[in-house]
Amino acid sequence: MFHNANLLNLIDGIPHAVILVDKNLNVSRMNRRAEALTGRSNDEAAGVQADYILRSNLHPFADSFRAVLQEKKMVAHEGNILDRNRKIIPVRFTISPLESHSADLLGVMVVIEDLSFAPYLQEKGAGLDGFEGVISLSPKMQDVNEQIPIFAGTDASVLIYGETGTGKGFVAEKIHQASKRSGYPFIKVNCGALPEQMLESELFGHAQGAFPGADHKRPGMFRLADRGTIFFTEIGDLPLSLQVKLLTVLDDGEFSALGSTKKVAMNARIIAATSMDLKAMIAEGQFREDLFYRLNVLRLHLPPLRERAEDIPLLIDHFVKSLSTGNLAPHFERKALQVLKDYSFPGNVRELRNILEHAVTLSLGETVKYEHLPEYLTQGNEAERYASSWGAKKGQERRTADGETTGGATKWDDVEKEMIIEALRKSRGKRSEAAKMLGWARSTLYRKLKHHGI
Amino acid sequence: MKIMIAIFRNDVAPRFDLTVEAVFVQLENGSIIGEPRELLLSEPSGDELCGLAVSEAADLVICGGIDEVHYEYLNWKKIRIIDGIIGPYQEALELLLQDRLAPNAIMPGAVSS
């Protein structure tokens, strides 16, 4: 059923996820947005109970389907679904009966509208284009705010530089939302999270039987991002072999799934982000120069939080409001606020948010006091203080490929190694003393020494 | 090895955070030891289910969709997770015994012909 070509073209053109469900409540067909949302291909999902593919909080959803089938009337529900990235997304389901020309009931059509940004846009009173800038008073961030809508107006690749926690993903999503591709998926690829072979299959998809365990053909992220945006977080972590493949895809505008010879046209805007010095990586042979120039068409530098200290009170206000469960957001004791103002935030906005979540939770809705802040800010053992100042110090020294400072664009692993060496130096090689300085048990230090090969 | 499977009737439950029932199975040398034990929660709760996995010392959790928070929590507790499973939990268990159960697998019993 539902194999009418016009109908299939029609549902692919709808800028929401659409699932056609047969009278037995099994999935019959999904559009590409539904494939992207659920992470299941049409081949995989066909014949499976729609409830299991949708993963909605209205489970068992079958009751709603049955009601529509019996009464032949459209119904709408608000709820949520669990998407392919393990995120719970607020959505509106509209379920309509589907009838043939002879009024025979074929099944139902479920349209799933993503409501993730609806409250945000309402609350912020966003402009007609739906764009609302990043919260900031800092001139550096104002530049970023001005660049976002300009970048959104083109299809050129964007490379976002910035330390960890500066909001590279947030800005990438902003560019997508403000672009003409906003009605289509924003697919995030974490280049460092998967082993090489799996990452290739995740990116380009695979055909059935392409490798042991590939029981079904599976669409890759390029296919899922069709007409939308594909965002590579930490592009510097992409293995060299995949850098070559990515470059080929960008140059040819087409790709093929693993185990398949069929070429598929690529229609996705590319945004990449990095906290690494890609030019240094090119010099060391770890990153391809041609790929760098291919991605580095438009550049956006996100300053670290310590370079936009004037934004800290503004961000505190924003996060405290969003983290508070009651009607009134808790106030901050002067001493607690001062600690935050004096801190260098090596983890940037993400770290600030985490600190505030900790403090707001402990304050139980009352005034946030000094003692509600995480211990490492108020007491701070040697290890954490060192990590913090090291991040800030290194941050001033590092420069991006285009000469802009990126701040402490460093992995925690490197920071940890440095601080262990520093502690050992200070303790003149006495491990038990170094462990004490670092605030760790001796066994932890031994494990970490082994891990870092010190 | 102790396994916890989040279930709904005879299937792996589609959403971990909305699950009320779990079955515990003990495996040794590739075989099931003793009778599987079913536990029922008073209401759907991902937190309670995580608590159950920890208190029962599960080594592996098999489930359908699981949200990031509970996934990260179980990871932090060093409990392995095979998620995204669709279909009868008995079939999932059989595949596990054959060392062939991969994340996002759809069991043959979940697909109507």
Side-chain angles (χ1 to χ4, degrees):
Chain A
M1 68 178 300
F2 300 142
H3 291 303
N4 180 308
N6 287 336
L7 179 64
L8 299 182
N9 284 339
L10 182 74
I11 65 166
D12 256 345
I14 297 174
H16 300 297
V18 178
I19 301 184
L20 303 182
V21 178
D22 67 20
K23 280 192 289 188
N24 298 319
L25 314 180
N26 296 323
V27 171
S28 179
R29 189 82 194 182
M30 305 197 290
N31 69 355
R32 285 188 183 174
R33 287 219 63 160
E35 285 186 311
L37 199 63
T38 60
R40 302 286 184 182
S41 68
N42 265 307
D43 280 6
E44 279 181 297
V48 176
Q49 287 275 305
D51 253 350
Y52 289 80
I53 298 296
L54 270 169
R55 309 199 297 198
S56 116
N57 66 326
L58 302 179
H59 174 75
F61 214 166
D63 297 343
S64 303
F65 297 154
R66 281 193 199 97
V68 172
L69 286 169
Q70 274 167 14
E71 305 200 2
K72 294 190 180 180
K73 278 187 186 162
M74 185 185 86
V75 297
H77 300 288
E78 285 199 5
N80 64 51
I81 62 166
L82 186 66
D83 78 354
R84 65 195 306 269
N85 297 319
R86 304 193 182 97
K87 290 208 170 6
I88 294 175
I89 312 264
V91 295
R92 181 181 296 118
F93 300 101
T94 307
I95 311 164
S96 326
L98 280 176
E99 293 176 349
S100 69
H101 291 301
S102 49
D104 292 332
L105 205 55
L106 300 172
V108 296
M109 176 168 81
V110 187
V111 178
I112 305 155
E113 194 180 340
D114 186 344
L115 302 179
S116 305
F117 298 103
Y120 176 80
L121 294 178
Q122 242 171 17
E123 182 194 319
K124 296 283 172 188
L128 286 176
D129 58 355
F131 173 70
E132 179 70 22
V134 178
I135 296 168
S136 180
L137 289 172
S138 141
K140 285 187 180 178
M141 283 308 284
Q142 292 307 327
D143 290 346
V144 172
N145 272 341
E146 283 169 19
Q147 283 171 317
I148 290 173
I150 297 169
F151 287 6
T154 83
D155 244 358
S157 305
V158 183
L159 190 53
I160 305 174
Y161 295 99
E163 286 180 25
T164 178
T166 46
K168 297 184 288 292
F170 180 76
V171 167
E173 206 158 349
K174 285 268 177 196
I175 295 173
H176 169 74
Q177 284 162 23
S179 77
K180 64 182 182 194
R181 294 177 176 270
S182 61
Y184 294 94
F186 175 81
I187 301 288
K188 196 169 160 183
V189 184
N190 189 344
C191 304
L194 292 169
E196 193 170 331
Q197 168 81 13
M198 211 180 271
L199 186 59
E200 185 174 356
S201 150
E202 281 286 305
L203 277 179
F204 305 112
H206 62 73
Q208 188 175 3
F211 49 82
D215 297 335
H216 296 275
K217 78 173 185 186
R218 196 171 167 80
M221 287 170 170
F222 272 106
R223 164 87 193 281
L224 297 178
D226 190 41
R227 289 182 270 184
T229 302
I230 188 159
F231 171 54
F232 293 91
T233 66
E234 287 306 344
I235 190 76
D237 284 342
L238 194 69
L240 269 170
S241 62
L242 284 183
Q243 290 178 27
V244 181
K245 286 187 180 156
L246 177 59
L247 184 68
T248 313
V249 171
L250 297 181
D251 285 342
D252 299 350
E254 56 182 23
F255 63 94
S256 50
L258 272 176
S260 166
T261 50
K262 191 181 160 193
K263 295 277 183 190
V264 182
M266 194 271 286
N267 178 7
R269 204 246 177 107
I270 309 287
I271 303 181
T274 184
S275 60
M276 299 175 193
D277 183 344
L278 290 184
K279 281 224 162 154
M281 288 181 71
I282 291 168
E284 289 162 10
Q286 291 171 359
F287 199 83
R288 288 188 64 98
E289 192 171 10
D290 38 11
L291 179 61
F292 171 78
Y293 288 114
R294 191 71 178 74
L295 296 171
N296 197 36
V297 180
L298 301 173
R299 281 169 303 181
L300 200 56
H301 170 239
L302 300 186
L305 191 52
R306 64 182 170 279
E307 286 179 18
R308 42 183 283 229
E310 61 270 49
D311 287 341
I312 293 175
L314 206 61
L315 288 165
I316 290 176
D317 186 54
H318 169 75
F319 285 132
V320 167
K321 274 184 191 156
S322 66
L323 291 166
S324 307
T325 46
N327 290 331
L328 287 174
H331 291 287
F332 261 73
E333 190 189 59
R334 188 184 292 267
K335 192 178 169 189
L337 204 56
Q338 197 54 48
V339 171
L340 294 179
K341 283 182 178 170
D342 292 342
Y343 185 56
S344 63
F345 291 103
N348 293 297
V349 181
R350 186 188 293 128
E351 187 183 15
L352 172 63
R353 192 194 176 284
N354 291 346
I355 289 171
L356 293 174
E357 186 164 8
H358 177 101
V360 169
T361 306
L362 289 188
S363 73
L364 302 172
E366 304 290 327
T367 302
V368 176
K369 294 183 178 165
Y370 178 79
E371 53 267 32
H372 296 141
L373 296 174
E375 274 186 16
Y376 75 91
L377 287 181
T378 54
Q379 294 167 18
N381 63 41
E382 185 70 16
E384 284 146 343
R385 271 205 303 273
Y386 182 76
S388 154
S389 62
W390 191 91
K393 189 177 72 184
K394 280 282 178 189
Q396 287 153 13
E397 291 168 3
R398 291 175 72 92
R399 303 185 80 78
T400 60
D402 59 355
E404 292 175 283
T405 55
T406 61
T410 310
K411 288 180 176 174
W412 170 248
D413 234 29
D414 300 333
V415 175
E416 194 177 69
K417 188 174 178 181
E418 284 286 331
M419 72 197 199
I420 293 170
I421 292 169
E422 180 69 7
L424 285 169
R425 193 181 58 74
K426 279 186 186 172
S427 66
R428 295 179 184 178
K430 288 179 187 162
R431 292 180 180 188
S432 54
E433 211 172 295
K436 206 172 171 184
M437 259 186 227
L438 291 160
W440 294 339
R442 268 198 312 180
S443 56
T444 307
L445 178 62
Y446 279 103
R447 186 164 46 79
K448 287 184 186 282
L449 286 171
K450 196 174 171 190
H451 169 75
H452 293 292
I454 300 171
Chain B
M1 178 167 71
K2 200 169 192 179
I3 299 153
M4 181 180 97
I5 312 174
I7 62 169
F8 174 69
R9 296 175 188 151
N10 291 321
D11 293 334
V12 176
R15 281 247 316 236
F16 186 84
D17 58 327
L18 303 174
T19 301
V20 285
E21 206 173 348
V23 60
F24 284 87
V25 181
Q26 183 79 41
L27 291 192
E28 264 174 45
N29 300 323
S31 308
I32 298 172
I33 303 295
E35 280 296 306
R37 192 161 56 94
E38 287 186 19
L39 287 174
L40 206 61
L41 301 179
S42 56
E43 57 180 0
S45 167
D47 290 357
E48 296 249 337
L49 216 51
C50 280
L52 208 55
V54 173
S55 63
E56 292 283 331
D59 302 289
L60 168 71
V61 167
I62 296 174
C63 58
I66 181 168
D67 57 287
E68 208 174 15
V69 175
H70 293 117
Y71 183 84
E72 291 300 337
Y73 176 81
L74 292 172
N75 253 331
W76 176 56
K77 289 287 174 187
K78 297 190 168 42
I79 297 173
R80 203 178 131 217
I81 307 149
I82 302 181
D83 66 336
I85 304 300
I86 295 179
Y89 77 83
Q90 295 281 14
E91 289 185 24
L93 205 51
E94 278 164 28
L95 277 185
L96 181 78
L97 289 172
Q98 296 161 23
D99 205 16
R100 286 174 51 217
L101 186 68
N104 298 315
I106 298 178
M107 302 301 111
V111 187
S112 75
S113 48

